Every structure is written in structure tokens, then in C-alpha cells.
Amino acid sequence: MEVRKPSGMLISALLTFSALLASCSKPSKLTVASEPLKDSRCAGANAVKSRAIVEWEDGRISFEEIDGVESFKNKFMAPQIHLIKRVQFDQIVKLHPTAMTTQPESNLDLPTNVLRDWGQRIIEMDKVVPDEKSPPSEKLMQQILDEDSPVIVGVVDSYVDAKHVQLKGQMVFNINEIPENGKDDDNNGFVDDYFGGKFISVPAKAEKRHPHGTHVAGIIAADSGLGPIRGIAPKAKIVSAQFINDDGEGTLSDSIQALDYVAMRGARIINASWGGPCPDSLGAAFKNLESQGILLVVAAGNDGRDLEASPTYPAAFDLSTQLTVGASTENDFMAGFSNSSFFSVHLAAPGVGIWSTIPGNQFVAMDGTSMAAPFVSGAAALLWGLQPSATALQIKAALMGSVDRTPQHEFRVMTQGRLNVYKAYQKLLTIIP
Ligand SMILES: [Ca+2]
Ligand SMILES: [Ca+2]
């Protein structure tokens, strides 16, 4: 096994639920749990005590402002306690310290092969989405051209630069919304959501845009005709929902709203390149998304640990439409920093030295399972574009049933292998001829 340890330079995109619910371990506080909270890591001192996340017995989740805990308990909770499944304080969530593994590039004229696109090559993307050097089979090209309703991928993350030259044609803008006028012009419940949803309740001090969300979006769908980055699913479209601010911080309640927002905007796939130790109401939110048949693609995390011993969420949720993704290296080993598990990590995908877009018409290489997950999201979008009638379960089965396994290169994941999008397409044709 090749060991590549995360260093200070590692881009680790995982959100740390670093500030956890203070009341988790103290029954006298606000928590009303339908089952005891099993994980002591859910206890913590940095709860956002001005806001509660309320899970209702009917499956809804709401967010309630708290003006005094006692008053909230007496006036809000007590009269309807029989309708409430669980209440928890909101939590601050953070990105791990992030850095880039190369200098940013801004030469959009660089040909693709000057930059390292080893990930796109190792998953045999060229056989499905050919570049100029390798012409497509006629049938495949026709199928690609025939797409009239693009597959929408929800990127729930930090800011996505919707004006990046390689992304601006790849986004689904909300054309009935007028941006930046302070009004909800299309009456969908969200003010100024022209470029996407924005759920930021923690103001940032940083002056520079956080690069993470734009990097994830580029891996999925960057238009290679307009720059050097080759998105895996160039015909797919991105809907973004930002819940991480430019300091790399957000809240749990914002993440839940962002997930629901992209689902409302028609996402068939949601990419979640983040995670933390406390399941709580995030589990209810993910279950709601599963029930809508949405494919949930989640980064395994960058702690170099087995998720059975140290679960993080959403990576360790056991949902029928979920794919949790570990990171592989250019030499096709599991990356040393990648979390693993034969039970809850489904497959590996390229996640070291991955080039993609960042804000300001630039691009850079990053490491992390955060980069591996969008490889799988992109592959799923590509397959769904070619076989629109497939279900999330069929797409998942095709991706898992077609991985490359190399002797001696064991991936400590359920399938013991790494994504191959061409073989996944062949597999899907056997599932849906
Ligand atoms: Ca709106
Ligand atoms: Ca508006």
C-alpha cells in the first residue's frame, strides 16, 4: 500500500463538525431524543444556542430561533411535545485547514494533457466522452447529442464560481429569479437564488473565495472546450447550494437546507464532499433524500481511518442510494489519508493531485476524498445521461459492479476496487439493455 500522509499542505475538504451539541450528553438540557445518542463525540461545547433543529414525528425538519432556552422549552416544545421526535441545538461546522498542492494556474489555453488528467484517463472516460484525439463511436456520440433534459447534480459545498469560464455554461441558473435585488422574484421561498442557493448564517472574515466548491463542480462537469479541465460529465448541469462560508465554516442547519434546496431544484445526484462525527438530524435529512430516489455521493473522509472504528457522517450512513467514496492514487493504490471500510465505503476513485477549476478563471491540483467523490458523481451523471430511465439503485449497481481491481493493490472498500466509468457503462447496458 502506498502511503501518502496528509500534511499541512493537504487539501482536506472534509467538514469537521467541530463544535458539537453541548446538550447531547446532558439529559437535563434541550435534547429530546427518540433514542439515546450513542456517540459521545456528539457532545461538545460549541453549539449554536440561538437556533434549534427540530425533527418532527411526521419526518419534517424545521429550524427554530431560540430566545432563551427555558422559554423555548416551555412555550415552543411543551405544547407540542407529542409531535416532536428530536430537538438539538444547531452546530458550527468547519472545513479542515485547506491548501493547494500546486500553484494556481490561469492559462486557459493550456491543452488538457499539459495538466495531469490521470484520473480521467484511469477511469477510461475517453471511451465514453471522447476528446479530440480519440473520436467517439457513432452510437455513443449520438446518445450524447440526443440528451434533451440534462442530469442535474447538486453541489452542496462552499461557493461555486458560476462565472468561471469552464463552468458558466454548465450551471442551471434560476432564470425566473432576478439576482441581487433582495426579493424572491419567482416565489420559490429563496431570495436571489439566481446562481444557486446560499445558506450562510456564519459571516466570514476571509476576503478570498474558498476554492473547494468550485473545484468539486469542475471535476463533475467542467467544459473542456473552454479550458484545460475535463469534467467527467460535460452534458450534466450543476445546481449549487453554498453552506460553507469563505473561512470554511457553516452550520448543520445550513447544510440541511442546502441539501433540500438542490433536491427541490431537481438534482438526481447530490455530491457531499464533507462530513463529521455526529449523525443526529443530518441522518433524517439524508433519509428524506434517499426516499426521493436521489443518488447520494459522499466523501469517505481524510483521517486515514477505518469508518467502522471511527464513523463520520454522512459517510457512514447506510442508505440504499448512497455511494461513499475513498481516494486512489495515480499508481492505483488507496491513498494513505483516505478513510476506508469494507462495510461503508463502496468504492475508490482518483483523489490525489486532481486538477480542477477554482474561482477567478483559475485551476489548481488538490488532494482528498473530496476530489474522489465528484469523480463518482460525474460518472453517475454521465451514465444517467446515457440511460435516463435508470434508477439510482441501478446506477449504483453499475458503478459498484464494474470497478477495476488490481492484484496486490487491495482497496479497503466494499468492492475492493476503483471506479471505471467505461466498464460501468457496459455494466449498465446489461442491467438496462
Ligand atoms: Ca427565488
Ligand atoms: Ca431576486
Side-chain angles (χ1 to χ4, degrees):
M1 155 113 22
E2 178 177 305
V3 175
R4 179 170 170 139
K5 293 212 164 174
S7 68
M9 287 294 286
L10 170 68
I11 298 282
S12 155
L14 276 236
L15 294 176
T16 298
F17 284 70
S18 63
L20 297 168
L21 178 59
S23 64
C24 273
S25 58
K26 298 173 187 166
S28 62
K29 291 263 179 97
L30 188 60
T31 299
V32 179
S34 61
E35 56 181 22
L37 292 166
K38 298 166 205 141
D39 195 332
S40 63
R41 286 170 304 163
C42 287
N46 298 319
V48 179
K49 296 192 175 178
S50 58
R51 195 192 277 183
I53 303 175
V54 181
E55 286 172 50
W56 300 86
E57 288 293 352
D58 66 4
R60 281 181 308 121
I61 299 174
S62 71
F63 311 101
E64 311 292 340
E65 298 311 310
I66 300 176
D67 186 14
V69 171
E70 284 309 310
S71 145
F72 182 77
K73 282 160 83 172
N74 296 333
K75 290 184 183 161
F76 181 86
M77 291 175 62
Q80 48 190 344
I81 195 71
H82 57 293
L83 301 174
I84 294 174
K85 187 173 176 187
R86 189 207 313 262
V87 177
Q88 68 170 115
F89 286 126
D90 202 359
Q91 301 167 21
I92 293 287
V93 297
K94 282 184 181 178
L95 284 169
H96 290 309
T98 59
M100 294 155 184
T101 54
T102 64
Q103 290 299 313
E105 280 277 0
S106 48
N107 183 358
L108 290 166
D109 296 327
L110 281 175
T112 303
N113 61 8
V114 169
L115 298 175
R116 298 171 69 198
D117 63 346
W118 72 266
Q120 284 80 349
R121 282 185 272 112
I122 205 168
I123 67 167
E124 299 197 272
M125 176 188 152
D126 282 351
K127 290 189 183 173
V128 190
V129 184
D131 64 14
E132 312 78 59
K133 296 182 290 297
S134 51
S137 81
E138 247 172 61
K139 181 162 179 270
L140 274 178
M141 202 58 208
Q142 198 52 47
Q143 279 175 297
I144 292 169
L145 291 172
D146 280 348
E147 287 171 35
D148 47 9
S149 57
V151 179
I152 296 174
V153 184
V155 173
V156 174
D157 210 291
S158 65
Y159 168 80
V160 172
D161 183 2
K163 294 176 179 171
H164 194 292
V165 65
Q166 286 200 264
L167 289 176
K168 64 187 177 191
Q170 310 298 86
M171 310 290 294
V172 189
F173 298 122
N174 181 6
I175 54 170
N176 297 317
E177 179 71 43
I178 299 163
E180 294 172 29
N181 68 352
K183 290 181 192 158
D184 178 16
D185 302 286
D186 69 337
N187 252 328
N188 68 352
F190 303 96
V191 173
D192 290 345
D193 62 322
Y194 176 80
F195 291 106
K198 189 173 176 184
F199 305 91
I200 298 286
S201 53
V202 183
K205 298 183 202 85
E207 289 170 9
K208 246 182 123 174
R209 291 296 191 183
H210 207 287
H212 187 259
T214 307
H215 203 267
V216 165
I219 293 167
I220 295 168
D223 183 346
S224 65
L226 298 169
I229 306 303
R230 300 182 62 202
I232 311 290
K235 300 295 175 188
K237 298 286 181 194
I238 302 282
V239 166
S240 73
Q242 180 191 359
F243 80 99
I244 293 295
N245 70 17
D246 292 329
D247 296 335
E249 271 191 16
T251 66
L252 184 57
S253 64
D254 290 338
S255 78
I256 293 170
Q257 293 178 81
L259 290 163
D260 287 344
Y261 177 83
V262 297
M264 181 271 290
R265 291 287 307 280
R268 294 188 85 174
I269 301 160
I270 294 178
N271 190 93
S273 282
W274 40 271
C278 191
D280 286 359
S281 47
L282 190 63
F286 264 73
K287 238 182 151 27
N288 285 343
L289 299 168
E290 176 197 37
S291 71
Q292 296 173 54
I294 296 172
L295 188 68
L296 304 161
V297 182
V298 178
N302 302 339
D303 311 301
R305 292 196 290 233
D306 191 309
L307 284 182
E308 297 321 299
S310 320
T312 68
Y313 304 95
F317 288 144
D318 180 19
L319 299 170
S320 64
T321 62
Q322 179 167 337
L323 283 168
T324 297
V325 185
S328 67
T329 70
E330 190 170 356
N331 296 326
D332 216 18
F333 288 89
M334 190 106 176
F337 61 74
S338 178
N339 285 349
S340 59
S341 164
F342 289 115
F343 301 98
S344 52
V345 180
H346 298 82
L347 76 171
V352 176
I354 303 302
W355 283 87
S356 186
T357 46
I358 56 170
N361 288 336
Q362 292 189 305
F363 28 89
V364 81
M366 295 187 181
D367 287 359
T369 55
S370 282
M371 283 64 246
F375 264 85
V376 172
S377 292
L382 190 53
L383 298 188
W384 237 329
L386 295 166
Q387 290 288 1
S389 67
T391 64
L393 295 181
Q394 289 171 325
I395 297 288
K396 174 177 170 174
L399 290 165
M400 288 183 67
S402 57
V403 293
D404 281 328
R405 292 189 197 94
T406 309
Q408 320 291 313
H409 288 220
E410 287 163 10
F411 289 98
R412 287 169 290 119
V413 298
M414 203 182 290
T415 57
Q416 300 175 47
R418 183 254 311 135
L419 172 70
N420 182 312
V421 69
Y422 176 64
K423 290 181 183 169
Y425 178 53
Q426 301 301 322
K427 182 77 185 177
L428 187 62
L429 292 177
T430 69
I431 297 171
I432 310 175

